[in-house]
């Protein structure tokens, strides 16, 4: 019953659906019923996503405890026309992408010659990188070569993007070309 | 992919080569399985007996680096046994075209070769024309200068005995494969080729793919359900990132990136030299001008060439290997790395790591501290004190901590909604790029020098929020009618006069005809009703124009009817192609048999029976110029155990050979074993997204090298022994995994051993291990410069 309405809801809304935290209810229906009162305030949302690994593009549902901002559970999306609910071992593991304690959680900086990272705030970090980009660009910019307008810098390279979203790739392509960079590459080449 | 994942189920024969989808694209095997249930034959051609091979009816082993002999052998077999799809070949391909009398091929070299530059002058690789420029044809295919006869002659050397002596394939396996696959040349049958990096990571990688294209055209397998040449891509959005042009040689939508040469010196020259008269690319100027309008906004005007001058112009090939060679030489000072890990994933690790020491600054944006972010650490084998690179490590969001769309191998652009707030202070790459761009622009405020003007003119209008507006980015990608402010319906509305803008023409249509208050992002479409042949036209948006099978006009015969009823995709109903199971890859109301307008540009120059609309002549290119020839020809890998049996030219004559430090070439006398690399289900690429997760680290915890029982016996190696694998670039240690999946090959009468290993490991993460790419060389394909990871020479011994 629940499954059906949830699936219909997802189909209709096409996006995030707020539902009871079904995954915390366990598998025993009686137990689930007994615990229903306790859990009914625990709000969970279900959000469809696409697997971040290979390019089959399987659908995955991410169940989140909104109060705690935590991932409760992930599962293959039964409504997805490619995987119809099934996933491989990688797609099955994406909860740990969030719950892992190995994530870098703050900007880090390593000074020349130093053997360690130092935590920094975003403002300091972005300002410093922006200054580096400007300095390197200014020092290396070539406007004309052999009588042809080239307006480029070959001193700044950009690498990567296959794991990012289209919108992000578009912004990076625009920004890097906008700077005049020509060494723009990513995983598709290798 | 020309077709899409769900469509694989419609095939009569799947040839899986240079790929191991059961391991690397596991869910795709559902559709291979479905095809099997419907009676299809599955062939696995691979140097190693893989998980995919276990699911195949026919297993054809072949030595890594010999795809062209193998497929050349199929071409030969199909032609000699008259198994081609004749009607398709005559009408839909360029088989009947007469080739320039001066075109030649002699002992491994095509006409026009220049040894000094290692490149070809392609001016003889053309067709004969009459006075009006019309291509001369012989539809009987008998003329000795016809593409068909030249191709027949070219592949006459690829007879089964020569082929099998080079590939090491047992003759009976080759013949079983040839018989099964070439049977799809029958009218109404289809065969698919599924491939991956085992195909492309060679010095002849592009010609490997071309060879697949050739056999598929001969058998009439392109454009039809269950057919196609299908690249199974490795990352969730490597299709999209390529479309968006994160590669040196293109601008978004596959417009060639302008170079600092006469050809591209201004907009008029670019348009003149890059715009073919015939075919869809005749529209290119509209796409470039609309892109310039998206990038430079109001500042781009007709009078200033839409600021074409502001686009950077290359001086050199800047692909991955060249990039690291330039960095090693000190030309590159700063680098931003967006979720890539070249220290593990790039070739010739030692050189690439050394190159990074020359950087003044490095920005590593990732969820994890990768080997690349940590290249300066002691555990990387570096001496931190002597490395002066400033390194910034920026924490990035995971995939469901942000919103945006990814494009899978089927070209489906699927939206991912944000499920929760990011971990810690992590930010999306979009936020990082947006806020960096805003800061850099601010630093240039009031700077009226050329370089100041260029960055100031860059139109960066993604809202006033802290995050760039996803909606505005998608509208910009789709494009606007600048006279009304609405988004364009699709790319057919784009103009070259500055009245439209478009960030990427191939995605135009993803946000159609929307006013400022209408939300219409079709990447969010999620109606999973089967709209016919499981094309799911209302699920996400497939570029171009939501089309699911490319070249689908070829799925119908000269009367516009499907070649068979169970392979229906589009058909002519007397008035239109549009009432079909797919968006026609053809002018919707152009009837079959409509004559071409002689000399007319774009599609008007094509007839109602010319399905390959991107090509100038509208025909599938059996004969088509590439950097290394108009027909695929076999050359041995850069490092090979044998001389070339097909000519006296061992190495692809058009590849760039890198010299200098760390570019030693291994010789067969010292390194007699063929080595290849591969992937595992439980890990992903350089491992940063899997070796940092507990479950996956536990499932596959150790770096290993896989070798045959025979080689293990010769070398005194037992299962799980620590062994050393060496190449001319260096040595690594790994555990030995002795299996029956590799067997020694007999190549031109000699025994040749073949080993393989995964390339997922490095020194960071929960499970760590040696970096396989320490062993691989800096040598790339003649067209794409993709490194030759898949076939090089090495040796193996016990570690003791
Ligand atoms: S679940 Fe597995 S097969 Fe599906 S997209 Fe993810 S990695 Fe690929």
């Amino acid at each position: 019953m629940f499954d059906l309405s949830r699936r219909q809801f997802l189909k209709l809304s096409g996006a995030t659906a707020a539902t009871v935290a079904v995954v915390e209810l366990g598998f025993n229906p009686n137990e689930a019923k007994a615990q229903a009162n306790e859990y009914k305030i625990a709000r969970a949302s279900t959000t469809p996503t696409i697997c971040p690994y290979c390019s089959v593009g399987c659908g995955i549902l991410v169940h989140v405890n909104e109060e705690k901002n935590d991932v409760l559970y992930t599962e293959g999306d039964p409504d997805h026309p490619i995987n119809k609910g099934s996933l491989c071992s990688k797609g099955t593991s994406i909860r740990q992408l969030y719950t892992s304690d190995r994530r870098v959680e703050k900007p880090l900086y390593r000074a020349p010659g130093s053997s360690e990272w130092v935590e920094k705030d975003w403002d300091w970090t972005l300002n410093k990188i922006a200054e580096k980009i400007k300095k390197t660009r200014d020092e290396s910019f070539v406007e004309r070569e052999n009588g042809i307008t080239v307006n480029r810098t070959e001193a700044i390279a950009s690498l990567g993007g296959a794991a990012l979203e289209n919108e992000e790739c578009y912004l990076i392509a625009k920004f890097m070309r906008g700077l005049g960079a020509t060494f723009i590459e990513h995983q598709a080449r290798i | 992919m020309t077709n899409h994942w769900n469509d694989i189920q419609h095939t009569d024969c799947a040839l899986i080569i240079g790929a191991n989808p059961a391991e690397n694209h596991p869910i795709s095997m559902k559709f291979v399985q479905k095809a099997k249930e419907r009676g299809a034959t599955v062939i696995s051609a691979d140097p190693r007996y893989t998980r995919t091979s276990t699911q195949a009816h026919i297993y054809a082993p072949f030595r890594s680096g010999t795809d062209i002999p193998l497929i050349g052998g199929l071409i030969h077999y199909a032609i000699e046994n008259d198994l081609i799809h004749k009607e398709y070949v005559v009408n839909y391909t360029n088989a009947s075209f007469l080739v320039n009398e001066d075109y030649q091929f002699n002992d491994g070299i095509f006409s026009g070769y220049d040894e000094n530059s290692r490149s070809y002058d392609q001016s003889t690789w053309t067709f004969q024309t009459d006075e009006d420029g019309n291509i001369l044809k012989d539809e009987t295919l008998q003329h000795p200068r016809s593409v068909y006869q030249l191709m027949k002659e070219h592949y006459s050397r690829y007879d089964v005995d020569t082929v099998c002596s080079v590939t090491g394939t047992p003759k009976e396996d080759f013949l079983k494969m040839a018989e099964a696959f070439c049977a799809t040349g029958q009218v109404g049958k289809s065969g698919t080729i599924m491939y991956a990096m085992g195909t492309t990571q060679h010095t002849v990688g592009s010609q490997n793919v071309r060879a697949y294209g050739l056999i598929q055209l001969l058998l009439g397998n392109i454009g039809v359900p269950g057919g196609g040449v299908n690249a199974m891509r490795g990352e969730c959005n490597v299709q999209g990132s390529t479309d968006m042009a994160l590669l040196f040689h293109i601008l978004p939508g596959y417009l060639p990136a302008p170079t600092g040469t006469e050809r591209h010196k201004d907009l008029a020259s670019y348009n003149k030299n890059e715009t073919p008269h015939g075919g869809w690319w005749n529209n290119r100027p509209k796409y470039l001008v609309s892109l310039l309008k998206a990038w430079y906004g109001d500042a781009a005007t007709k009078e200033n060439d839409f600021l074409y001058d502001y686009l950077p112009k290359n001086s050199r090939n800047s692909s991955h290997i060249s990039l690291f060679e330039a960095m090693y030489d000190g030309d590159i000072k700063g680098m931003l790395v967006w979720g890539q890990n070249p220290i593990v994933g790039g070739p010739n690790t030692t050189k690439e790591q050394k190159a990074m020491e020359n950087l003044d600054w490095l920005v590593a944006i990732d969820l994890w501290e990768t080997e690349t972010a940590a290249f300066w650490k002691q555990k990387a084998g570096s001496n931190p004190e002597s490395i002066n690179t400033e390194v910034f490590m920026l924490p990035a969001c995971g995939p469901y901590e942000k919103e945006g769309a990814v494009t899978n191998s089927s070209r489906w652009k699927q939206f991912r909604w944000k499920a929760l707030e990011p971990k810690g202070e992590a930010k999306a790459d979009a936020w990082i790029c947006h806020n960096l761009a805003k800061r850099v622009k601010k630093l240039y405020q009031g700077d009226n020098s050329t370089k100041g003007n260029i960055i100031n003119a860059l139109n960066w209008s993604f809202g006033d929020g802290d995050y760039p507006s996803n909606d505005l980015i998608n509208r910009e990608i789709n494009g606007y009618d600048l006279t009304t402010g609405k988004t364009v319906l699709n790319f057919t509305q784009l103009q070259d006069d500055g009245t439209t803008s478009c960030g990427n023409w191939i995605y135009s249509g993803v946000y159609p005809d929307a006013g400022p208050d209408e939300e219409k992002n079709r990447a969010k479409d999620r109606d999973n009703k089967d709209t016919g042949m499981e094309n799911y036209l209302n699920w996400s948006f497939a570029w171009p124009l939501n089309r699911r099978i490319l070249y689908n006009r070829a799925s119908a015969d000269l009367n516009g009817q499907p070649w068979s009823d169970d392979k229906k995709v589009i058909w002519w109903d007397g008035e239109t192609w549009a009432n079909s199971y797919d968006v026609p890859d053809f002018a919707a109301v152009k009837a079959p048999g409509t004559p071409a307008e002689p000399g007319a540009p774009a599609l008007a120059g094509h007839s109602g029976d010319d399905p390959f609309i991107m090509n100038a002549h509208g025909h599938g290119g059996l004969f088509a110029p590439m950097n290394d020839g108009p027909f695929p020809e076999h050359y041995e890998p850069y490092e090979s155990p044998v001389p070339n049996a097909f000519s006296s030219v061992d190495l692809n004559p058009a590849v760039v050979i890198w010299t200098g430090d760390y570019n030693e070439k291994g010789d067969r006398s010292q390194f007699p074993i063929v080595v290849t690399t591969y992937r595992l289900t439980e890990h992903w690429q350089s491992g940063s997204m899997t070796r940092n997760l507990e479950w996956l680290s536990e499932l596959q915890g150790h770096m290993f090298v896989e070798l045959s029982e025979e080689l293990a016996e010769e070398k005194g190696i037992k299962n799980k022994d620590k062994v050393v694998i060496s190449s001319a670039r260096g040595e690594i240690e790994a555990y030995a995994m002795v299996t029956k999946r590799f067997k020694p090959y007999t190549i031109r009468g000699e025994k040749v051993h073949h080993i393989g290993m995964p390339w997922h490991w490095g020194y960071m993460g929960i499970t760590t291990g040696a970096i396989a790419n320490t062993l691989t060389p800096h040598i790339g394909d003649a067209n794409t410069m993709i490194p030759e990871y898949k076939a090089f020479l090495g040796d193996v011994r016990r570690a003791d």
Side-chain angles (χ1 to χ4, degrees):
Chain A
M1 281 285 288
F2 171 79
D3 196 40
L4 211 105
S5 59
R6 184 202 57 173
R7 289 175 63 169
Q8 279 173 342
F9 189 82
L10 276 175
K11 222 190 259 185
L12 288 174
S13 70
T16 307
T19 60
V20 173
V22 63
V23 290
E24 293 194 347
L25 295 180
F27 297 104
N28 180 331
N30 290 332
E31 213 176 285
K33 209 171 168 188
Q35 290 181 359
N37 277 349
E38 196 180 321
Y39 281 104
K40 77 178 169 204
I41 50 164
R43 303 287 296 177
S45 60
T46 302
T47 308
T49 190
I50 300 298
C51 178
Y53 294 107
C54 90
S55 67
V56 172
C58 296
I60 304 180
L61 300 177
V62 183
H63 304 280
V64 163
N65 179 328
E66 290 184 314
E67 279 166 21
K68 292 189 185 154
N69 196 57
D70 199 6
V71 183
L72 295 166
Y73 182 61
T74 59
E75 61 179 328
D77 183 347
D79 291 326
H80 196 284
I82 295 175
N83 61 312
K84 298 200 165 94
S86 48
L87 294 172
C88 78
S89 52
K90 287 192 294 292
T92 305
S93 304
I94 69 163
R95 176 172 179 259
Q96 294 181 346
L97 289 175
Y98 183 81
T99 58
S100 166
D101 56 10
R102 303 181 59 83
R103 287 278 297 270
V104 179
E105 298 194 29
K106 279 188 181 345
L108 302 174
Y109 173 70
R110 181 261 177 187
S114 166
S115 51
E116 58 190 26
W117 294 113
V118 183
E119 283 186 3
K120 294 286 182 185
D121 65 45
W122 273 109
D123 243 1
W124 182 91
T125 308
L126 291 182
N127 283 336
K128 189 112 182 185
I129 298 169
E131 283 162 20
K132 298 265 162 217
I133 291 174
K134 180 168 192 299
K135 181 165 180 284
T136 304
R137 180 174 186 264
D138 286 349
E139 286 170 0
S140 61
F141 205 80
V142 180
E143 290 177 24
R144 283 176 80 77
E145 187 181 67
N146 305 327
I148 291 170
T149 303
V150 293
N151 285 329
R152 65 153 188 261
T153 167
E154 291 190 322
I156 300 175
S158 173
L159 211 59
L164 310 186
E165 284 148 359
N166 281 305
E167 295 86 339
E168 303 184 313
C169 295
Y170 177 73
L171 290 189
I172 294 168
K174 184 173 181 178
F175 178 42
M176 295 313 300
R177 298 251 175 222
L179 287 172
T182 55
F183 279 107
I184 302 169
E185 284 284 288
H186 82 288
Q187 290 94 333
R189 182 82 63 195
I190 60 170
Chain B
M1 282 187 166
T2 55
N3 294 44
H4 61 93
W5 293 116
N6 301 64
D7 178 66
I8 292 167
Q9 65 186 293
H10 300 123
T11 198
D12 295 298
C13 186
L15 169 55
I16 306 174
I17 181 168
N20 181 9
E23 184 97 46
N24 298 320
H25 303 85
I27 301 301
S28 72
M29 286 302 281
K30 287 190 357 175
F31 301 106
V32 175
Q33 215 63 42
K34 272 193 168 180
K36 266 170 85 174
E37 283 161 20
R38 292 167 177 220
T41 306
V42 177
I43 305 165
S44 163
D46 202 290
R48 182 177 61 118
Y49 186 82
T50 65
R51 278 179 166 173
T52 303
S53 313
T54 67
Q55 303 301 307
H57 300 96
I58 299 166
Y59 170 58
F62 74 109
R63 170 173 61 101
S64 191
T66 61
D67 292 63
I68 292 171
L70 200 75
I71 305 297
L74 290 187
I75 293 170
H76 177 81
Y77 184 92
I79 292 175
E80 290 306 312
N81 295 291
D82 205 18
L83 299 170
I84 65 168
H85 187 326
K86 191 85 185 286
E87 195 179 340
Y88 185 109
V89 170
V90 171
N91 294 292
Y92 295 168
T93 78
N94 64 15
S96 65
F97 294 15
L98 303 190
V99 173
N100 188 324
E101 291 289 356
D102 294 329
Y103 160 78
Q104 276 180 28
F105 175 76
N106 219 323
D107 187 27
I109 298 286
F110 296 90
S111 44
Y113 187 60
D114 174 44
E115 214 167 322
N116 291 326
S117 61
R118 293 185 62 79
S119 66
Y120 283 102
D121 167 354
Q122 304 179 4
S123 57
T124 60
W125 307 354
T126 53
F127 301 117
Q128 300 179 30
T129 53
D130 64 16
E131 289 135 32
D132 299 329
N134 300 311
I135 294 170
L136 300 181
K137 297 178 191 174
D138 169 27
E139 294 195 345
T140 69
L141 307 184
Q142 295 307 314
H143 194 290
R145 294 306 289 180
S146 68
V147 166
Y148 188 75
Q149 290 300 326
L150 290 173
M151 181 172 58
K152 185 174 172 178
E153 187 189 330
H154 190 92
Y155 292 104
S156 64
R157 302 169 299 134
Y158 290 69
D159 61 282
V160 57
D161 290 312
T162 310
V163 163
C164 290
S165 79
V166 170
T167 62
T169 312
K171 194 170 166 180
E172 61 275 17
D173 294 332
F174 176 83
L175 290 173
K176 270 194 246 168
M177 168 174 85
E179 192 188 340
F181 197 69
C182 294
T184 64
Q186 282 171 54
V187 177
K189 297 281 179 202
S190 67
T192 179
I193 294 184
M194 299 162 68
Y195 76 92
M197 307 312 279
T199 295
T200 54
Q201 291 172 342
H202 292 282
T203 40
V204 292
S206 305
Q207 294 285 18
N208 284 344
V209 180
R210 274 273 298 144
Y212 303 167
L214 252 60
I215 185 72
Q216 289 296 61
L217 284 171
L218 287 174
L219 298 173
N221 281 336
I222 303 278
V224 302
V229 176
N230 293 303
M232 296 182 285
R233 312 213 57 177
E235 291 99 352
C236 65
N237 196 36
V238 70
Q239 182 63 56
S241 54
T242 304
D243 302 335
M244 292 301 169
L246 290 175
L247 293 167
F248 89 92
H249 68 291
I250 44 173
L251 297 174
Y254 302 94
L255 309 175
T259 55
T261 59
E262 283 291 323
R263 280 176 72 78
H264 297 156
K265 69 174 192 297
D266 50 34
L267 183 61
S269 308
Y270 181 97
N271 281 339
K272 178 168 159 273
N273 291 307
E274 297 298 340
T275 311
H277 182 70
W280 193 264
W281 281 118
N282 184 262
N283 292 301
R284 186 170 271 149
K286 299 173 189 167
Y287 307 149
L288 180 62
V289 169
S290 297
L291 176 71
L292 289 167
K293 286 298 290 178
W295 283 13
Y296 297 113
D298 292 340
T301 64
K302 205 168 190 157
E303 291 66 44
N304 65 18
D305 261 5
F306 302 103
L307 292 176
Y308 171 85
D309 275 355
Y310 283 10
L311 289 177
K313 315 288 186 299
N314 268 313
S315 72
R316 50 177 150 175
N317 183 306
S318 315
S319 63
H320 182 100
I321 293 175
S322 322
L323 188 156
F324 276 91
E325 291 283 341
M327 196 187 295
Y328 188 84
D329 294 342
D331 296 349
I332 295 175
K333 304 292 181 201
M335 177 160 72
L336 298 112
V337 183
W338 314 84
Q340 190 170 343
N341 190 11
I343 293 295
V344 174
N348 202 343
T349 303
T350 311
K351 179 153 204 179
E352 298 203 348
Q353 184 163 327
K354 276 268 174 282
M356 285 179 61
E357 293 183 12
N358 290 339
L359 290 173
D360 291 343
W361 52 271
L362 169 72
V363 182
I365 304 153
D366 216 299
L367 283 70
W368 330 91
E369 189 186 347
T370 62
E371 285 78 1
T372 300
F375 83 97
W376 47 274
K377 287 191 166 175
Q378 240 158 11
K379 68 164 99 173
S382 300
N383 173 17
E385 272 173 37
S386 68
I387 297 176
N388 288 319
T389 314
E390 280 184 85
V391 187
F392 303 84
M393 164 92 237
L394 309 189
C397 284
Y400 48 80
E401 298 163 27
K402 57 181 180 180
E403 61 173 3
V406 288
T407 304
N408 73 356
S409 260
S410 304
R411 293 169 283 101
W412 296 7
K413 184 184 183 190
Q414 304 188 93
F415 201 79
R416 304 198 287 209
W417 285 266
K418 178 177 168 181
L420 81 175
E421 290 306 314
K423 180 103 174 170
E425 292 182 23
K427 297 286 187 185
D429 295 71
W431 181 92
I432 295 168
C433 185
H434 181 63
N435 283 283
L436 273 178
K438 284 203 303 196
R439 278 171 162 83
V440 171
K441 278 174 81 77
K442 205 161 165 197
L443 290 176
Y444 278 101
Q445 237 167 33
D447 181 338
N448 293 322
S449 68
T450 302
K451 54 184 180 283
N453 288 341
I454 289 174
I455 196 77
N456 289 326
L458 192 68
N459 170 33
W460 204 267
S461 316
F462 303 110
D464 303 324
D466 185 31
Y467 261 83
S469 155
N470 182 277
D471 193 67
L472 289 175
I473 300 171
N474 277 301
R475 284 171 192 260
E476 179 169 317
I477 290 170
N478 178 86
Y480 291 99
D481 178 339
L482 297 171
T483 62
T484 65
K486 286 182 95 174
T487 60
V488 291
L489 188 60
N490 58 48
F491 53 74
T492 62
Q493 295 186 339
L494 297 177
Q495 302 297 333
D496 61 4
D497 59 4
T499 57
T500 57
S501 70
C502 177
N504 190 337
W505 75 275
I506 62 173
Y507 282 93
S508 187
V510 76
Y511 211 116
D513 197 29
D517 300 324
E518 293 171 275
E519 212 218 308
K520 280 194 184 169
N521 187 347
R522 294 184 69 188
K524 295 181 179 177
D525 286 1
R526 284 178 70 88
D527 180 346
N528 62 4
K529 194 169 139 277
D530 180 6
T531 50
M533 290 294 274
E534 290 207 25
N535 282 331
Y536 298 107
L537 297 178
N538 299 317
W539 181 278
S540 76
F541 174 84
W543 70 258
L545 296 178
N546 203 30
R547 182 174 296 139
R548 308 289 159 138
I549 297 182
L550 299 180
Y551 313 116
N552 56 27
R553 167 66 184 90
S555 71
D557 62 17
L558 292 177
N559 299 316
Q561 298 311 306
W563 294 107
S564 80
D565 243 13
D566 62 343
K567 306 258 196 277
K568 270 171 93 125
V569 53
I570 70 160
W571 54 88
W572 180 253
D573 69 2
E575 278 165 25
T576 175
W577 296 95
N579 297 323
S580 296
Y581 290 150
D582 195 5
V583 178
D585 198 352
F586 208 63
V589 293
K590 190 185 222 174
T594 306
E597 285 175 43
L603 297 199
H606 290 178
S607 80
D609 306 314
D610 293 343
F612 293 89
I613 62 169
M614 300 310 286
N615 291 346
H617 47 57
H619 288 65
L622 291 168
F623 182 94
M626 305 275 284
N627 287 346
D628 42 2
F631 289 131
E633 168 67 6
H634 176 63
Y635 305 101
E636 286 291 328
Y638 179 56
E639 294 180 345
S640 160
V642 288
N644 191 356
F646 289 91
S647 72
S648 63
V649 184
D650 281 337
L651 178 67
N652 184 339
V655 301
V656 175
I657 296 172
W658 297 94
T659 52
D661 302 347
Y662 299 99
N663 283 329
E664 289 80 7
K665 180 179 178 183
D667 185 75
R668 62 182 79 108
S669 60
Q670 210 184 344
F671 298 103
I673 300 174
V674 178
V675 192
T676 193
T677 60
Y678 54 76
R679 295 177 290 172
L680 306 167
T681 302
E682 297 77 11
H683 288 299
W684 189 62
Q685 317 300 40
S686 76
S688 49
M689 288 283 278
T690 52
R691 286 187 292 106
N692 279 302
L693 305 191
E694 293 88 345
W695 291 349
L696 296 169
S697 294
E698 194 172 330
L699 283 169
Q700 281 286 1
H702 301 283
M703 170 66 183
F704 61 82
V705 58
E706 186 169 353
L707 59 156
S708 68
E709 291 172 342
E710 293 81 356
L711 178 61
E713 165 108 28
E714 272 179 34
K715 298 276 182 182
I717 293 169
K718 287 195 298 300
N719 214 13
K720 297 188 202 167
D721 277 355
K722 270 250 159 172
V723 295
V724 176
I725 312 107
S726 58
S727 80
R729 271 71 54 194
E731 295 192 339
I732 59 167
E733 271 195 8
Y735 289 106
M737 184 163 91
V738 181
T739 74
K740 293 185 196 302
R741 306 196 298 189
F742 270 119
K743 294 268 182 234
Y745 282 92
T746 304
I747 309 294
R748 306 191 69 192
E750 284 181 42
K751 177 151 96 175
V752 174
H753 286 294
H754 206 314
I755 63 174
M757 64 194 136
W759 60 274
H760 300 299
W761 271 272
Y763 41 79
M764 304 297 285
I766 298 171
T767 158
T768 58
I771 298 174
N773 280 316
T774 307
L775 305 176
T776 54
H778 261 188
I779 186 92
D781 171 63
N783 294 279
T784 62
M785 295 282 281
I786 290 178
E788 189 162 60
Y789 296 105
K790 288 292 182 268
F792 58 96
L793 291 179
D795 204 357
V796 61
R797 63 174 192 271
R798 282 172 56 99
D800 293 328

